[in-house]
């Protein structure tokens, strides 16, 4: 399916103005349209279809949609919360201070950033870096799901509470979720602290390193 066809399909479903829809209807719409429209959509088409996305209020303040980047056949997929100022400016995920720390974490795992895939639960910057809201996460959810289906990583690492809650389908605190394996769409999923949190709380770096060692062991299986 071409980007234009996809946009038309979504427009027909009322996705152009989701703020006019109650959040529940957006979520129901995303669940019901997912199969027919997304089965034939590849990463490039998906990214293209989001370029002018206005499916939630985050589109009003963003400069750039930060779709995600990395190797299409990555074995590790990192999923963070949402773009910050630097990401919004450049259109690339995790390129600010938290991103530099993520880069170091990736290197410590014996990998290069380009061997991984990096995405976020919301693809547009929340104003003032506020937390993303439930309906904003829901508006992006089919797109993240399709990214995961296309990359089919061996492991997903959820960075921080928003990614962990979104992917585990719980609202448990990160302390209760991190360091334990679960699955998302059949892919082993491990949650750990967000690099931005680590910049504020460096003492927890050792917990993240313990989590990343679990990921490395899983990749070596
Ligand atoms: N924090 C995130 O969660 N994602 C980014 O892309 C950058 C910072």
């Amino acid at each position: 399916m071409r980007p234009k066809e996809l946009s038309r399909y979504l427009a027909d479903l009322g996705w152009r103005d989701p703020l006019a829809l109650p959040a529940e209807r957006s979520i129901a719409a995303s669940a019901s349209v997912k199969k027919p429209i997304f089965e034939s959509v590849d990463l490039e088409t998906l990214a293209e279809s989001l370029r002018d996305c206005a499916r939630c209020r985050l589109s009003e303040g963003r400069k750039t949609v930060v779709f995600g980047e990395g190797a299409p056949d990555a074995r590790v997929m990192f999923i963070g919360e949402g773009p910050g100022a630097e990401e919004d400016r450049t259109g690339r995920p995790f390129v600010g201070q938290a991103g530099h720390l993520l880069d170091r974490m990736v290197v410590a795992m014996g990998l290069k950033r380009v061997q991984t895939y990096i995405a976020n639960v919301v693809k547009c910057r929340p104003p003032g870096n506020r937390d993303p809201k439930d309906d904003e996460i829901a508006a992006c959810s089919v797109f993240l799901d399709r990214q995961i289906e296309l990359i089919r990583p061996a492991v997903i690492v959820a960075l921080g509470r928003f990614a962990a809650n979104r992917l585990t389908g719980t609202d448990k605190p990160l302390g209760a979720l991190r360091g334990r394996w679960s699955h998302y769409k059949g892919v082993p999923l491990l949650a750990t602290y967000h690099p931005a949190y680590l910049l504020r709380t460096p003492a927890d770096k050792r917990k993240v390193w313990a989590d990343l060692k679990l990921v490395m062991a899983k990749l070596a299986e």
Side-chain angles (χ1 to χ4, degrees):
M1 183 178 285
R2 293 164 191 280
K4 272 206 177 125
E5 289 170 326
L6 178 60
S7 298
R8 223 174 295 129
Y9 197 107
L10 293 170
D12 286 348
L13 289 154
W15 273 59
R16 274 202 176 279
D17 185 14
L19 293 183
L21 298 173
E24 294 78 6
R25 231 184 104 195
S26 303
I27 295 165
S30 72
S32 63
V33 301
K34 186 180 169 195
K35 278 269 175 256
I37 63 168
F38 283 114
E39 258 167 11
S40 61
V41 173
D42 60 19
L43 273 179
E44 227 168 77
T45 309
L46 199 63
E48 178 65 21
S49 73
L50 283 176
R51 208 142 50 107
D52 302 316
C53 181
R55 294 180 186 89
C56 84
R57 69 181 75 74
L58 295 183
S59 61
E60 290 162 19
R62 67 134 198 267
K63 286 197 186 78
T64 326
V65 174
V66 182
F67 177 70
E69 68 176 24
D73 59 351
R75 297 192 70 223
V76 190
M77 183 168 179
F78 292 96
I79 301 179
E81 180 179 322
E86 197 55 18
E87 290 77 18
D88 184 47
R89 198 180 63 75
T90 59
R92 299 182 57 212
F94 280 96
V95 289
Q97 284 210 47
H100 297 322
L101 180 52
L102 177 61
D103 289 348
R104 293 206 294 278
M105 287 158 55
V106 168
V107 169
M109 293 169 73
L111 295 170
K112 295 185 177 125
R113 178 177 165 123
V114 292
Q115 293 176 305
T116 71
Y117 195 92
I118 305 176
N120 284 303
V121 293
V122 294
K123 310 212 176 296
C124 296
R125 183 190 185 201
N129 293 343
R130 68 156 167 75
D131 292 344
K133 295 183 195 292
D134 287 349
D135 61 328
E136 295 158 357
I137 293 172
C140 252
S141 107
V142 285
F143 302 99
L144 177 62
D145 281 356
R146 184 63 187 155
Q147 268 176 310
I148 294 169
E149 281 170 11
L150 286 164
I151 308 279
R152 277 198 264 149
V155 175
I156 296 171
V157 181
L159 298 169
R161 176 165 63 96
F162 286 91
N165 288 161
R166 155 75 174 82
L167 297 170
T168 59
T170 72
D171 57 3
K172 290 185 186 161
L174 191 61
L177 294 173
R178 65 155 281 270
R180 295 162 195 265
W181 287 107
S182 59
H183 283 87
Y184 187 72
K185 292 186 168 290
V187 180
L189 165 71
L190 197 90
T192 193
Y193 290 113
H194 193 287
Y197 165 83
L198 290 183
L199 291 172
R200 300 189 299 272
T201 321
D204 278 345
K205 279 187 185 169
R206 64 184 174 78
K207 291 186 191 160
V208 172
W209 181 234
D211 297 341
L212 295 181
K213 282 199 281 193
L214 293 175
V215 173
M216 289 153 68
K218 180 71 80 185
L219 291 172
E221 273 174 13

